[in-house]
Amino acid sequence: MAEAVFYREIRQIKQIHQPPKTIIVNTGASQGTLEDLKFPECAGGFSYKDSCQIGSVVSNRFIVWRAYGDVLELEEECLDYNLLGGSLRCQFQGSSVLDSVSIQETRSHVIVLVATIFSVHRLMFPHPARLSQQRSLGLSSNTEHSLPSIFMDGVQCNLSSPSNCANIAISGTTVSSFPYLATAGLTKEDEAMFAMTTRTGSIILVKLPPGGVQGIVMQHELKQSSMIQRLWSGLVPSVVRGSQEEASASLSICVHQVGPDHLIFTLCRDVKLRIWSSKSHECLMTADLLEYIADTARRCTPGSQDHQLRKAVLPGDGALLLAAFLCFSDGCQFEIFQPSRISGQYHLNHITTVHVLPAVLIDFTFTSTQLWSLWYSEQGEPLLECVPFNNAEGALRGSQVFLDAKKPVDVFFGGERDVAETYLEQIFRPGRFTLQAIAKAVTFFRRSALPPDSAIDAGALREQVVAAVDGETKTIQLQEEEEEGDGEEEVLYEAQVEAWKKFYVCCVQYNEVTMKPLGLVVDRDSGLVGIVRKTCVSFLRPCDPLEHFYMRDGNAAVSSADFMQYALANEDPLVCKDLLYLMESMKLFGSLCAKASDLYLNFESQLSAKVSPQAIADEIVMMVLPSLVQHEGQSDQTCLAEAIQGISSLPDAIDALLSVLDLAKGQPGGLDIDLSVVEMTRSHPSNQLLTSVSGVRLLSMCFAQQAETRLAICKDLLLLQTGVLQTGRSYGLSADTLDYLRSESIERTYEMLRAASALKWMSMTAPSGVNSNVLESNLRQLAVLQTSGLVQRTQMNTFGDSLSLAELFIDGIGGTLAHSLLIQNGFISEAEASSWKLVDPMVTIISQILWPISVSFLFNEFLVVKCQYQELLYYMRSTSWCKWNETSRLFLSAYCYLNLGEPYKAFDLFMEAGDHADEAESFLCKLLAMNEESEGATSVEAHTVLYYLKVIRLFEHFELPDLIITMATVAISVAEDDDPNLAMLWSLVFKYHLELAHYSEAYDAVSCNPDPARRRDCLRQFVVVLLDRRQLSQLVSFTYSRLEDDVVAVMESRARSVELGTHDYYEILYAYHVARGNRRKAGGTMYEYGARLGQEARGLKALQQQARCYLAALNVLRLVSPQYAWVVKSLPTAAAKDVEMLDGDMEGSGGPPVKPLEKKVEVLDLKDIEKEYLLLHAKLKLLQKEADAITHISGKPMSAAETITLLCNVGLFDLAIQISKAFGLPLTPIFETLTSWCMRLSQSSSYSIAQDDALTAAAWDWLDSNETGSQQSAKELTSAEQAWRLLQRYLATYREAADSRYHRCVATRLLALGLTLPTWLVGAYKVVNAPELLRLYIDFDLLLPAAYLAMEYIDAVLGSGKEHFGLKVALHATTPAVWLPYTELDKLLVLLKAVQMEPTYAKLYQDIHAKLNGYFETLQRVSIDMIRTKLQVANTNI
């Protein structure tokens, strides 16, 4: 492809303004001098040496500077990386900065050489390569995709050091003595050399020593003058001489190193070029440039502008070129020379002359092949011209450069749109105005101070705009009401329109001020060309082929050969010629339409308002055709006819143009993109190209410009075809041609027009603001959909009004994919990475990715990921004519409505998309095929079911149960009988019917579920929910049939799994069993409830509830047949308990596997339950007596013996005896305790009721809790007497035949304490077991009672008082034998004999001997009688 000859500007508007770091330099000058000397604003730039090297940190990196007054602004930009701290502001107090700031590059530093009218300065910054090394070593902080700028840490040198700055010694005091032009450079010894010119014709040469080296600052004055001039200047003071400017005064200056010397080139007022040597301080050459002008006599008068001089170095040999701008009163021109040295003398070799139109030159620069010049036209509009001068013939053929035009001051808005909304959309449209310009307009309206740049926020600024315009609207409304008195609404509307238009015009004017061009920057290696404007840098890019031929000036001659070299259509010269004529016809007819109708300029607005393009075109053409007027001697109709008739085949030309406009080239399937290419090229070193914020914005602006051009071409093509069809055969077209246009061509044009309009919409629409919560919710939804390959984080984490959807896309997956495709297709060379050679192919690839007429669905998916729901809906509505991805668009439209709070619209669209869920669309394939659920799903029905499941998951995320039920029901009707997802669908139906309290429908869904496991799970949930919601009547109303066991199991499991006290599941289960007539299970339920309460619950209420449970269990079991009146209690065995305790230790020990927990079953009948109830009842009684014992008593279960002990301690002897009888325990502890109570009461009682102490008073409390009997007493008894009576009753009641253990227990207790046995006890004991009582007396050394008891017992045996000893017979021959306790009697006699020295015991000893002797005599006689009687009986029987 030949080199492009047309260029187009790309404005890089920075909306986010970061305040630069400021450095203040004290030059010693006064502020008054600064006010006297005024210099215009100027700017320039610098590009690094290796800016084209791939992977380099300086790739596509450059520095721009701006100078105004005493301020120098430095800004570093990079298209590949975001630079941190890239702005620096240097203020040289009281000293104006001179033009031509020089920036030099060394291995380790970037050096900025600055000259002011009083001083020279060297600013040293670290080289980016050096910063990169520090970054790799971790010495500097950075973020992803970011690098530190060289200006981040300020200047790396002492600005006040003598080696880095010097004041200029000025010979005079007049203004002409001060330097006003400067140039600078570095010597091979790293010395900084400054050359400055004064208006007197002298050159001040200043040299600073190398940086960081202490040295001497040298200053010399270079001047060429005659002897008379020297005498005049030496003898006459400068005040007398005045400030006359000499003819030899330099108007422009530059420096170039040649060997060890630096040559200083000056272009002087006398149009002579002088070369000075910085080494010898001599003028080496003086050349009169008028000699190179053909007509010198006519061009001697100076023009309004100063002559200017620039230099350029040829690549390769490093030869020097000089370009001189010469301005004369009758014209301006550029002269290009090449200096050469022949025989020690310098000469100028003239290369070419470039004539230019009269205009005001702002700046110019040139390379070895092109001359760039920036101008102000006569109308004040900036112009940029590019002239190549390397052709062999020497014919100079200029390149057209299209700068951004002024913004239109008229805004179109339809009658239905709000005025404020329309203007706000235009004001804050991406790339339209800077925030600073809008803020200044607000300040103008409010007449208040402008906030600092750092305080400007897009959201707050929007509110300020509305408030400012509202205030202006009210002012205008009041004025119009006073003047006209029209209707209030009409006046308000007119006031709004006027106020908003006024504000918009103000924004346009302030924006033009901020966009003022100041200079040019050109990278001769990469081809980068930029215009340094007041607040930004705009770039120039080569036009693509369509732009080249559509935007060119109509007077520029273009041949079909030129057209063919761009390969727009094909290599047929005839078709290329027809395309030229077709474009000329389109532009001519478009210009006619623009003159005749405002609709032409508002075509896009009407199109975005959903007006049919055919209707818009018809209306415009109807206004154009009658208004054709004479133009330049012939009618426009004739010009148009000639252009159209010059086309040999209009259908072929239109087809060729439509083919060029179609980015899919008629094959939409060819634009399907495999995202795996990103992974394949991820490690390529060029992936960082054009990925910074500036680089992305550059690509997005290029995309926007190309989209705008395509739309304009489509618009003009549509209007031309419409005009041709309406004028019939006036252009000599055949009927077949008209039929083709009407039936086929115009329809394709509609399609291209809509597609181009969609691209422009992407480039002009700002994304909606999205907060973090919405982003997180969207990520969860995408996770629910299980789609992959879409989410990619971008550098621009926040959305602003300065960002467009296209820019957002390019910053994300769009730019990444474009890089990968560029690498895959071989566009990027590993040896060179010039961004300007990549812009056009990269933008083309991005346009193809975003082209609506394609099977690719990536942009829609991207908008979903970025939560741009409103924008995506608009985009899909505007591309509804596209026949590709229709089902996917339906799905995403529903997805958007769902997120925008319109679920029922979303449902209808989801259902509509579900009818075509089996379509082979890329998005649907991701949705349905890239997950495990779709494995094996091959039928249409299976894909449809999977689709519905995805949608149901989305509805679940938004909690829409009614829609879930409806969609699941539809999916069930579609699913096949063996579909594995059928059970899940029924589960979903059940779940959300249950959530909506549709219990009957939920139960039906459970019954219909084909999966037993899911059915049980649903049933469990059904029962649990009904229990939790207290829908008990509903719970028992269903038959359940074969599911009843499961229902009971669920209820039991639920009851056992929840914490007691929070739910009454056991009581509900009990009621359920009672209602079903299953009393044994009802009893088992209540027993289990009570048992769990005893184990898990604490406190009085828990015990009371446990008692009620046991009583309920007993009551219901008593209604059951005795053989079934039992319950089952499962208990873990002791071994199993040990295993359970050690289970956690054994799992990770590597030992043998642990056996599962073994359990044994215990069957309890009514008696067992009654026993447990008795113990529980005892606990409650104990708590009534001792409330403070709640913690101990309600703790772990107590045994019967422990319970009896506690009952005895509080005096509940009746209950203790009842428990002892129930558990078969002896009553001994009870009698011992009661005996102790009786003794204590007897010892503390005064036998006066009125004077009972606290012990006896408490005794009455427990005595009242026991049944003391109904025996009446003649007198009122004391507590002690009542206690003894209770003990007496117990001994009488619980005495068993021949069992005296309780009497012995009581007697032993009394005798051990040294007390006398009560008479009633002795009498009762004698009846039960007199010998045992005798033994006790002997054991306790009670000889007197023992002796008397022995004698009484002997008498009773002999027949005297035998009833008192419980003897039924006495000693007689005819009665059964009786016996005496001889052992005890012997012991007693021995003891009495031992103490017979006392008369009493001696007498008792004698009496017992006498009694025993009498007993023995009687015993002998009775024995003889018995023998005799038995002998007689025996003889009688014989």
Side-chain angles (χ1 to χ4, degrees):
M1 181 183 295
E3 184 180 1
V5 293
F6 288 177
Y7 295 88
R8 191 166 182 180
E9 181 189 14
I10 311 166
R11 284 196 185 180
Q12 292 281 81
I13 294 179
K14 285 189 175 182
Q15 296 287 15
I16 302 175
H17 181 76
Q18 297 179 350
K21 183 179 295 184
T22 301
I23 298 176
I24 299 177
V25 182
N26 186 7
T27 62
S30 64
Q31 188 68 27
T33 306
L34 179 64
E35 294 176 356
D36 294 338
L37 299 176
K38 298 294 184 180
F39 293 91
E41 294 179 86
C42 55
F46 165 79
S47 60
Y48 292 92
K49 294 178 182 178
D50 298 330
S51 60
C52 286
Q53 184 178 350
I54 191 168
S56 171
V57 292
V58 295
S59 171
N60 298 317
R61 189 165 174 171
F62 57 93
I63 300 172
V64 296
W65 59 267
R66 302 176 184 88
Y68 53 92
D70 61 348
V71 175
L72 172 65
E73 291 183 352
L74 297 170
E75 184 176 359
E76 188 178 22
E77 288 279 358
C78 185
L79 301 178
D80 296 349
Y81 295 93
N82 293 324
L83 299 182
L84 304 177
S87 298
L88 182 66
R89 185 175 183 269
C90 301
Q91 183 176 4
F92 302 89
Q93 288 185 329
S95 184
S96 297
V97 178
L98 301 180
D99 194 358
S100 297
V101 173
S102 178
I103 302 178
Q104 305 291 327
E105 178 182 5
T106 66
R107 278 190 169 185
S108 59
H109 289 88
V110 175
I111 301 173
V112 180
L113 302 177
V114 186
T116 71
I117 59 175
F118 289 112
S119 58
V120 294
H121 302 269
R122 172 169 48 203
L123 311 179
M124 299 178 66
F125 304 94
H127 194 276
R130 181 179 170 188
L131 289 177
S132 178
Q133 293 174 358
Q134 295 176 357
R135 176 172 174 258
S136 62
L137 295 175
L139 300 178
S140 62
S141 60
N142 64 286
T143 59
E144 186 181 5
H145 301 296
S146 299
L147 291 176
S149 169
I150 64 172
F151 304 132
M152 184 174 182
D153 297 326
V155 182
Q156 285 196 342
C157 65
N158 186 2
L159 294 179
S160 61
S161 172
S163 62
N164 294 315
C165 68
N167 290 330
I168 303 171
I170 302 174
S171 59
T173 58
T174 60
V175 174
S176 60
S177 302
F178 291 102
Y180 71 100
L181 292 175
T183 186
L186 286 179
T187 67
K188 291 183 178 181
E189 294 78 17
D190 288 337
E191 295 175 323
M193 188 192 72
F194 297 87
M196 295 165 284
T197 66
T198 65
R199 300 186 184 277
T200 60
S202 64
I203 299 175
I204 301 174
L205 185 64
V206 180
K207 278 189 180 181
L208 298 179
V213 177
Q214 295 295 329
I216 300 174
V217 178
M218 294 181 293
Q219 177 174 334
H220 302 278
E221 183 177 6
L222 310 181
K223 186 170 183 181
Q224 186 179 27
S225 59
S226 63
M227 182 63 67
I228 299 300
Q229 290 176 326
R230 293 178 184 177
L231 290 173
W232 176 258
S233 61
L235 296 176
V236 180
S238 59
V239 177
V240 178
R241 295 198 310 265
S243 59
Q244 297 178 356
E245 295 185 0
E246 303 225 3
S248 61
S250 301
L251 299 180
S252 185
I253 185 171
C254 62
V255 64
H256 180 72
Q257 184 175 0
V258 178
D261 195 4
H262 273 73
L263 300 182
I264 302 170
F265 298 89
T266 60
L267 181 57
C268 303
R269 186 174 301 279
D270 55 5
V271 200
K272 292 181 180 179
L273 178 66
R274 291 179 171 85
I275 302 178
W276 297 80
S277 171
S278 63
K279 187 175 182 180
S280 63
H281 306 158
E282 294 179 354
C283 179
L284 302 180
M285 187 200 76
T286 301
D288 189 356
L289 299 187
L290 294 178
E291 297 177 0
Y292 302 95
I293 300 175
D295 191 359
T296 57
R298 193 169 51 86
R299 295 180 178 267
C300 294
T301 306
S304 60
Q305 303 179 71
D306 289 339
H307 309 311
Q308 297 187 34
L309 183 68
R310 300 287 186 271
K311 75 167 186 175
V313 179
L314 293 176
D317 59 358
L320 176 66
L321 291 180
L322 295 176
F325 169 72
L326 304 179
C327 180
F328 300 102
S329 59
D330 55 352
C332 303
Q333 63 192 54
F334 289 97
E335 300 292 342
I336 301 188
F337 305 93
Q338 182 174 3
S340 62
R341 186 175 184 181
I342 302 174
S343 301
Q345 298 294 324
Y346 282 95
H347 302 273
L348 289 182
N349 299 321
H350 184 261
I351 296 177
T352 188
T353 299
V354 179
H355 296 277
V356 293
L357 296 176
V360 178
L361 181 66
I362 302 173
D363 191 14
F364 80 96
T365 186
F366 72 109
T367 67
S368 60
T369 58
Q370 293 174 315
L371 173 67
W372 297 88
S373 55
L374 183 62
W375 308 80
Y376 275 126
S377 68
E378 295 179 354
Q379 293 77 26
E381 297 291 336
L383 300 174
L384 183 62
E385 289 187 353
C386 174
V387 179
F389 53 85
N390 61 337
N391 48 1
E393 297 82 3
L396 299 179
R397 182 179 173 187
S399 299
Q400 285 189 262
V401 180
F402 304 103
L403 300 184
D404 251 7
K406 284 186 177 180
K407 307 301 178 184
V409 295
D410 294 326
V411 176
F412 173 80
F413 50 91
E416 298 180 356
R417 293 201 64 184
D418 182 65
V419 178
E421 179 184 351
T422 304
Y423 272 98
L424 283 173
E425 179 183 339
Q426 294 296 325
I427 292 171
F428 289 95
R429 174 165 287 182
R432 179 60 61 89
F433 301 125
T434 63
L435 295 182
Q436 290 77 13
I438 301 174
K440 288 180 180 178
V442 172
T443 303
F444 173 77
F445 264 56
R446 287 188 165 184
R447 294 170 178 82
S448 59
L450 180 68
D453 293 341
S454 58
I456 298 178
D457 174 71
L461 186 59
R462 182 185 290 265
E463 297 177 359
Q464 294 177 16
V465 168
V466 173
V469 178
D470 285 346
E472 184 68 17
T473 301
K474 293 178 181 178
T475 303
I476 297 174
Q477 182 182 4
L478 291 175
Q479 294 176 355
E480 292 184 355
E481 286 179 352
E482 293 176 359
E483 295 176 1
E484 301 179 4
D486 294 337
E488 183 177 351
E489 294 184 1
E490 183 179 352
V491 171
L492 176 61
Y493 177 78
E494 293 177 355
Q496 284 181 333
V497 173
E498 184 178 349
W500 277 106
K501 183 175 182 179
K502 182 179 178 181
F503 184 85
Y504 186 80
V505 171
C506 193
C507 289
V508 171
Q509 294 172 348
Y510 277 118
N511 192 72
E512 290 303 318
V513 173
T514 61
M515 291 293 106
K516 177 184 177 182
L518 301 178
L520 293 173
V521 56
V522 175
D523 185 355
R524 293 167 175 81
D525 296 327
S526 65
L528 177 147
V529 180
I531 302 175
V532 183
R533 295 181 178 270
K534 193 168 185 176
T535 58
C536 69
V537 179
S538 59
F539 302 102
L540 299 180
R541 64 172 180 86
C543 292
D544 76 339
L546 278 177
E547 291 175 313
H548 181 106
F549 292 102
Y550 185 76
M551 297 181 65
R552 66 182 179 85
D553 187 357
N555 297 323
V558 180
S559 65
S560 59
D562 294 330
F563 206 98
M564 288 177 60
Q565 73 177 359
Y566 285 91
L568 276 178
N570 51 50
E571 297 181 358
D572 186 355
L574 186 60
V575 175
C576 293
K577 178 182 177 183
D578 289 345
L579 276 173
L580 283 175
Y581 279 113
L582 177 61
M583 285 195 173
E584 290 296 330
S585 303
M586 291 162 46
K587 291 176 64 177
L588 179 58
F589 194 76
S591 63
L592 296 175
C593 293
K595 295 176 183 178
S597 174
D598 291 338
L599 285 177
Y600 179 84
L601 300 177
N602 299 318
F603 192 97
E604 293 85 353
S605 302
Q606 291 283 348
L607 201 61
S608 62
K610 301 298 182 297
V611 181
S612 168
Q614 183 60 62
I616 304 173
D618 289 340
E619 186 176 355
I620 294 175
V621 170
M622 289 298 295
M623 298 176 67
V624 169
L625 295 181
S627 61
L628 291 177
V629 294
Q630 292 295 113
H631 180 66
E632 295 184 359
Q634 57 179 344
S635 67
D636 293 331
Q637 177 74 15
T638 304
C639 296
L640 182 61
E642 290 178 355
I644 294 176
Q645 290 170 2
I647 304 174
S648 60
S649 176
L650 183 60
D652 292 343
I654 293 177
D655 283 345
L657 182 57
L658 291 175
S659 298
V660 174
L661 292 171
D662 187 4
L663 289 171
K665 305 304 178 186
Q667 297 179 351
L671 296 183
D672 192 15
I673 301 170
D674 185 6
L675 294 180
S676 61
V677 69
V678 176
E679 295 297 329
M680 295 169 57
T681 59
R682 187 175 296 277
S683 60
H684 197 278
S686 65
N687 274 329
Q688 200 63 35
L689 290 174
L690 301 175
T691 56
S692 70
V693 172
S694 298
V696 170
R697 182 150 298 175
L698 171 74
L699 293 175
S700 67
M701 294 301 294
C702 293
F703 170 81
Q705 290 177 350
Q706 292 189 9
E708 184 179 10
T709 302
R710 288 180 180 275
L711 180 59
I713 293 174
C714 293
K715 176 178 67 174
D716 287 348
L717 180 59
L718 175 62
L719 291 173
L720 178 64
Q721 292 179 87
T722 305
V724 169
L725 289 175
Q726 290 191 11
T727 55
R729 300 186 180 181
S730 59
Y731 298 112
L733 301 177
S734 65
D736 293 340
T737 299
L738 295 176
D739 291 340
Y740 171 79
L741 296 179
R742 186 179 295 106
S743 62
E744 183 176 346
S745 175
I746 202 166
E747 293 297 329
R748 289 183 60 195
T749 306
Y750 292 158
E751 194 174 76
M752 294 299 112
L753 178 68
R754 292 189 177 103
S757 177
L759 293 183
K760 184 177 180 182
W761 173 84
M762 297 175 196
S763 67
M764 302 298 291
T765 303
S768 301
V770 181
N771 58 43
S772 59
N773 294 332
V774 176
L775 285 173
E776 291 175 3
S777 175
N778 189 52
L779 288 178
R780 289 194 295 269
Q781 294 175 54
L782 295 176
V784 165
L785 290 177
Q786 298 180 356
T787 53
S788 60
L790 298 183
V791 180
Q792 179 178 349
R793 295 189 66 84
T794 63
Q795 299 174 24
M796 303 169 186
N797 295 320
T798 57
F799 303 154
D801 289 321
S802 62
L803 191 68
S804 67
L805 292 175
E807 187 173 353
L808 187 66
F809 179 75
I810 296 170
D811 184 55
I813 185 63
T816 304
L817 192 56
H819 275 97
S820 301
L821 294 174
L822 279 175
I823 297 169
Q824 187 183 52
N825 295 326
F827 282 97
I828 298 180
S829 168
E830 295 188 359
E832 188 173 302
S834 173
S835 59
W836 305 109
K837 297 180 181 179
L838 299 175
V839 168
D840 186 60
M842 194 168 184
V843 172
T844 301
I845 290 176
I846 293 171
S847 300
Q848 290 175 336
I849 296 173
L850 295 174
W851 188 243
I853 309 173
S854 166
V855 297
S856 175
F857 205 60
L858 191 60
F859 182 66
N860 304 65
E861 298 171 8
F862 182 80
L863 291 181
V864 167
V865 172
K866 297 303 176 185
C867 307
Q868 300 300 306
Y869 305 123
Q870 292 283 10
E871 290 73 14
L872 179 56
L873 281 175
Y874 179 87
Y875 175 68
M876 288 189 292
R877 283 195 298 265
S878 63
T879 58
S880 58
W881 47 269
C882 185
K883 61 182 179 181
W884 292 273
N885 299 306
E886 292 180 348
T887 306
S888 299
R889 283 200 298 272
L890 286 173
F891 180 88
L892 288 188
S893 296
Y895 185 91
C896 293
Y897 279 122
L898 194 60
N899 282 275
L900 293 173
E902 299 187 47
Y904 292 98
K905 281 186 179 181
F907 178 81
D908 294 338
L909 291 172
F910 277 134
M911 294 301 297
E912 186 178 351
D915 297 337
H916 308 283
D918 60 325
E919 297 288 341
E921 298 178 2
S922 60
F923 178 78
L924 292 180
C925 291
K926 293 178 185 178
L927 184 67
L928 302 178
M930 292 185 180
N931 57 74
E932 298 178 358
E933 294 176 354
S934 62
E935 293 180 0
T938 56
S939 64
V940 175
E941 292 78 7
H943 280 96
T944 305
V945 170
L946 285 177
Y947 167 82
Y948 285 132
L949 282 174
K950 296 281 188 178
V951 177
I952 288 172
R953 287 174 182 170
L954 281 178
F955 285 153
E956 285 182 310
H957 180 80
F958 287 92
E959 300 179 355
L960 301 169
D962 54 337
L963 299 181
I964 295 173
I965 293 170
T966 306
M967 186 156 287
T969 305
V970 173
I972 291 171
S973 65
V974 172
E976 298 173 332
D977 295 338
D978 58 348
D979 194 306
N981 296 308
L982 198 58
M984 182 188 296
L985 292 170
W986 278 115
S987 299
L988 290 169
V989 173
F990 156 76
K991 176 183 177 181
Y992 291 101
H993 271 309
L994 185 62
E995 184 178 316
L996 295 174
H998 302 162
Y999 301 118
S1000 299
E1001 292 82 354
Y1003 176 74
D1004 293 339
V1006 173
S1007 303
C1008 294
N1009 201 314
D1011 185 2
R1014 284 187 177 273
R1015 186 168 58 244
R1016 284 193 298 270
D1017 293 340
C1018 292
L1019 184 64
R1020 178 187 303 276
Q1021 187 178 1
F1022 181 71
V1023 173
V1024 169
V1025 170
L1026 288 179
L1027 292 175
D1028 291 342
R1029 295 180 182 177
R1030 313 297 297 173
Q1031 298 293 325
L1032 306 183
S1033 59
Q1034 289 280 353
L1035 181 63
V1036 300
S1037 65
F1038 299 107
T1039 58
Y1040 299 114
S1041 62
R1042 57 190 175 90
L1043 300 176
E1044 185 165 359
D1045 292 340
D1046 293 334
V1047 172
V1048 173
V1050 170
M1051 296 176 68
E1052 290 177 348
S1053 174
R1054 186 65 175 174
R1056 292 166 182 166
S1057 62
V1058 299
E1059 183 180 354
L1060 296 176
T1062 58
H1063 298 82
D1064 53 357
Y1065 291 141
Y1066 279 106
E1067 295 178 3
I1068 296 171
L1069 185 59
Y1070 169 78
Y1072 178 83
H1073 286 311
V1074 171
R1076 300 280 174 163
N1078 196 338
R1079 295 184 177 86
R1080 187 179 65 80
K1081 285 191 174 182
T1085 299
M1086 293 309 291
Y1087 172 76
E1088 182 181 337
Y1089 186 20
R1092 281 194 61 195
L1093 285 170
Q1095 294 175 356
E1096 303 174 14
R1098 300 291 182 268
L1100 178 61
K1101 290 184 178 180
L1103 293 175
Q1104 292 172 346
Q1105 180 64 24
Q1106 187 180 4
R1108 287 193 289 270
C1109 292
Y1110 283 163
L1111 288 174
L1114 290 171
N1115 290 337
V1116 74
L1117 288 176
R1118 289 189 178 102
L1119 300 176
V1120 182
S1121 175
Q1123 59 182 345
Y1124 299 111
W1126 50 267
V1127 296
V1128 176
K1129 180 180 181 182
S1130 60
L1131 295 173
T1133 63
K1137 290 180 180 178
D1138 295 338
V1139 171
E1140 183 181 11
M1141 292 172 60
L1142 298 175
D1143 183 52
D1145 298 331
M1146 293 290 291
E1147 285 183 358
S1149 63
V1154 179
K1155 295 182 179 180
L1157 185 65
E1158 298 178 0
K1159 291 187 178 181
K1160 68 177 183 179
V1161 175
E1162 182 180 356
V1163 178
L1164 304 179
D1165 57 9
L1166 281 173
K1167 292 183 179 180
D1168 296 326
I1169 299 175
E1170 288 173 350
K1171 289 179 183 179
E1172 294 192 25
Y1173 173 72
L1174 279 176
L1175 293 178
L1176 180 61
H1177 180 65
K1179 284 186 178 182
L1180 291 173
K1181 288 295 184 181
L1182 288 171
L1183 291 175
Q1184 290 179 0
K1185 292 293 184 180
E1186 297 184 11
D1188 297 337
I1190 182 66
T1191 303
H1192 174 70
I1193 294 176
S1194 64
K1196 63 179 182 178
M1198 297 185 299
S1199 64
E1202 293 174 338
T1203 304
I1204 290 171
T1205 301
L1206 293 175
L1207 289 173
C1208 292
N1209 289 338
V1210 297
L1212 298 177
F1213 298 108
D1214 283 351
L1215 186 55
I1217 292 173
Q1218 185 180 0
I1219 293 175
S1220 297
K1221 290 294 184 180
F1223 285 90
L1225 299 176
L1227 303 180
T1228 303
I1230 301 173
F1231 281 99
E1232 289 180 350
T1233 306
L1234 182 56
T1235 302
S1236 299
W1237 275 100
C1238 291
M1239 290 187 296
R1240 287 198 295 270
L1241 288 173
S1242 297
Q1243 292 172 357
S1244 63
S1245 175
S1246 63
Y1247 294 91
S1248 174
I1249 298 176
Q1251 296 179 359
D1252 278 352
D1253 58 9
L1255 178 63
T1256 57
W1260 282 110
D1261 182 45
W1262 61 263
L1263 286 171
D1264 292 339
S1265 301
N1266 298 282
E1267 183 62 40
T1268 58
S1270 58
Q1271 186 177 4
Q1272 299 294 327
S1273 177
K1275 66 172 184 176
E1276 192 170 0
L1277 302 177
T1278 64
S1279 59
E1281 293 171 340
Q1282 192 70 21
W1284 286 112
R1285 177 176 289 187
L1286 179 63
L1287 179 60
Q1288 181 180 357
R1289 187 178 72 83
Y1290 284 162
L1291 288 173
T1293 304
Y1294 301 108
R1295 178 181 67 84
E1296 298 180 0
D1299 186 3
S1300 61
R1301 56 181 174 174
Y1302 302 136
H1303 294 76
R1304 182 179 66 249
C1305 170
V1306 175
T1308 301
R1309 190 73 172 170
L1310 293 173
L1311 293 175
L1313 295 175
L1315 299 179
T1316 303
L1317 298 181
T1319 303
W1320 60 267
L1321 177 60
V1322 173
Y1325 208 164
K1326 290 192 298 183
V1327 173
V1328 176
N1329 195 342
E1332 187 178 69
L1333 178 60
L1334 176 61
R1335 191 180 305 117
L1336 286 175
Y1337 280 152
I1338 293 172
D1339 291 340
F1340 286 95
D1341 292 334
L1342 298 174
L1343 299 180
L1344 288 176
Y1348 292 134
L1349 178 60
M1351 291 186 290
E1352 289 178 1
Y1353 190 70
I1354 294 172
D1355 292 339
V1357 170
L1358 294 177
S1360 175
K1362 66 179 188 303
E1363 66 276 2
H1364 296 295
F1365 287 87
L1367 299 176
K1368 295 180 181 180
V1369 295
L1371 184 61
H1372 294 286
T1374 58
T1375 60
V1378 294
W1379 58 277
L1380 281 177
Y1382 294 109
T1383 303
E1384 282 72 15
L1385 291 174
D1386 289 341
K1387 290 180 179 181
L1388 180 59
L1389 289 174
V1390 171
L1391 293 173
L1392 289 174
K1393 185 178 180 180
V1395 293
Q1396 62 181 346
M1397 67 286 298
E1398 294 185 10
T1400 303
Y1401 294 110
K1403 185 177 183 307
L1404 289 176
Y1405 180 78
Q1406 297 297 328
D1407 291 342
I1408 293 174
H1409 261 287
K1411 289 285 185 181
L1412 284 174
N1413 290 333
Y1415 171 75
F1416 289 136
E1417 292 175 358
T1418 304
L1419 179 61
Q1420 185 176 9
R1421 185 181 68 248
V1422 171
S1423 298
I1424 295 172
D1425 291 341
M1426 289 179 64
I1427 294 171
R1428 191 179 292 153
T1429 301
K1430 288 184 178 181
L1431 290 174
Q1432 290 176 358
V1433 173
N1435 293 331
T1436 302
N1437 292 335
I1438 296 174

